[in-house]
Amino acid sequence: MAEPDWVAHAIWWQIYPLGFVGAFPADQPPTADEHRLRRIVDWFDHAVQLGASGVALGPIFASRTHGYDTTDHFRIDPRLGDEDDFDHLVTEARRRGLRVLLDGVFNHVGTDFARYREALDGGPDHPASSWFRRGGNASRFGTFEGHGELIALNHDEPAVADYTATVLRHWLSRGADGWRLDAAYAVPDRFWALVLPSVRREFPDAWFVGEVIHGDYSATVRAATFDSVTQYELWKAIWSSLNDGNFHELDWALKRHNDFLDTFVPLTFVGNHDVTRIASQLQNSAHLEHALVLLLTTGGTPSIYSGDESAYRGVKEERRGGDDAVRPEFTTAPDDSDAMRLHQYLIGLRRRHPWLHTATTSPLLLTNTGYVYRTSAGSESLIVALNIDDAPLRLSLSDLAVGSGRVIAGSGAPPQEDIGQTEVPPHGWLIIQPH
């Protein structure tokens, strides 16, 4: 199944709206007449300057707390504003050439979801009760991963499938370009395979990415009819290999990544709203550059989590409120920084080499602390060299079966023309264009 053509050029800037505009957590939740969703629009020019082509929004629909306990999929969360604010957001995104990705939660709902209230009040024989999965105790409804405030939907119920498809179509008709499907790993593939084709018949250019963490990504994409899934394997291998001085882990993950690219193009990232920020995750701040180089020189549809382009820090903790540090309010535009400039350069590099969207990698040199790989698609290729050792990494291009080339980017050295050999500085990197 082919993804929509526009995705080949997509680079997302991801936002968690409730945190971004200071709506959650908040001592006094804002009201709809504050129109806080429009604060996001004020950052669209920043997204364009970064080089992004789309804005991936976290939950924006009515909920009680963090947005993933949805109470009404057809209503903008009043803490963010109203439908006019959404229309304004879409209009301003379009004016700048930005796509809009929405976050849909269809595995579970919040305890104020209307059908759930009907099921509670009406008892087990009420028609609304069929919307929800039964828990271990048949008299109680199931929950998502033990969270009592997240009530699991029954995906064998045709009305749930119809409802989900209706929600997806509604917001696509209002200007959205696609959906991130939250907790897709907890929903039967057969449910998505029923819902998504019916939506695509009306919106063939819509893009659907499932949140999947473990397992056989390619099999899931085929069975569920997703366009893409979240590439958590590569995310983990990037920071873990850099921290442990073990590029063998990264090499293994990139081989798996190549296999995935035979079936689909994954959504790639080094940060999102659910994980510790990459600047805090890495033990050596110099390796932040290596992580970004990997993200933007390998195949995938890249996503930059808002704030990561300025090396924001934040640690996720496994406790109530443990996500708050990685979902802060944004009040002022970030200052120009080395991190921002590197993001802009590498995103620009990807724009100049659009074939990187489907590029596969092959290792040319592999040690614990040195990794050189060719990233290529068809006749196009670049050589990427990473060094996380305290000593320089000396390279002979002929030994790598490259011949000659020129250094077009890197740390610690100016560009070099027609090189046959070079070295990567300690804790540095180079990108070489072969002749």
Side-chain angles (χ1 to χ4, degrees), residues 130-287:
S130 65
W131 278 54
F132 305 100
R133 195 183 314 154
R134 291 290 172 178
N137 183 335
S139 65
R140 297 187 178 183
F141 295 115
T143 60
F144 173 58
E145 297 182 351
H147 299 286
E149 69 278 12
L150 303 178
I151 310 303
L153 288 165
N154 174 15
H155 298 99
D156 292 325
E157 167 56 48
V160 172
D162 291 343
Y163 175 83
T164 301
T166 301
V167 173
L168 296 175
R169 285 193 295 263
H170 174 78
W171 293 105
L172 290 170
S173 71
R174 296 288 298 273
D177 295 284
W179 287 87
R180 172 193 178 270
L181 301 170
D182 181 70
Y185 58 87
V187 178
D189 292 340
R190 63 181 180 275
F191 176 82
W192 301 117
L194 175 65
V195 169
L196 298 185
S198 70
V199 177
R200 283 194 178 93
R201 283 194 287 271
E202 188 173 345
F203 298 97
D205 280 341
W207 186 65
F208 299 94
V209 54
E211 183 197 15
V212 178
I213 301 174
H214 306 295
D216 186 339
Y217 293 166
S218 296
T220 297
V221 166
R222 286 192 293 265
T225 71
F226 294 144
D227 291 300
S228 183
V229 296
T230 49
Q231 224 305 27
Y232 270 94
E233 283 190 17
L234 185 58
W235 161 78
K236 193 270 180 184
I238 288 174
W239 63 259
S240 180
S241 63
L242 292 171
N243 281 348
D244 295 346
N246 180 17
F247 275 136
H248 294 276
E249 178 186 0
L250 176 63
D251 183 64
W252 177 259
L254 284 173
K255 288 175 181 173
R256 292 262 297 170
H257 192 63
N258 288 342
D259 292 339
F260 300 145
L261 285 160
D262 287 338
T263 304
F264 71 101
V265 180
L267 177 68
T268 52
F269 58 94
V270 293
N272 65 32
H273 65 295
D274 280 329
V275 300
T276 291
R277 284 193 180 270
I278 188 65
S280 294
Q281 188 72 259
L282 292 172
Q283 296 168 1
N284 186 331
S285 60
H287 299 162

Side-chain angles (χ1 to χ4, degrees), residues 383-397:
I383 308 301
V384 180
L386 307 175
N387 181 19
I388 56 173
D389 200 273
D390 294 335
L393 175 63
R394 293 180 174 81
L395 298 180
S396 168
L397 298 192

Side-chain angles (χ1 to χ4, degrees), residues 90-126:
V90 170
T91 298
E92 290 301 308
R94 290 286 178 271
R95 192 166 68 81
R96 295 167 174 83
L98 294 170
R99 300 274 179 172
V100 176
L101 187 72
L102 298 182
D103 199 344
V105 189
F106 301 106
N107 175 67
H108 51 268
V109 295
T111 53
D112 283 344
F113 187 70
R115 286 287 188 281
Y116 178 64
R117 303 312 306 180
E118 292 172 10
L120 280 184
D121 295 341
D125 295 330
H126 192 282

Side-chain angles (χ1 to χ4, degrees), residues 305-320:
Y305 183 45
S306 52
D308 281 358
E309 70 273 23
S310 297
Y312 281 15
R313 302 182 70 86
V315 175
K316 176 186 172 72
E317 299 178 7
E318 296 301 327
R319 59 173 178 82
R320 184 173 290 275

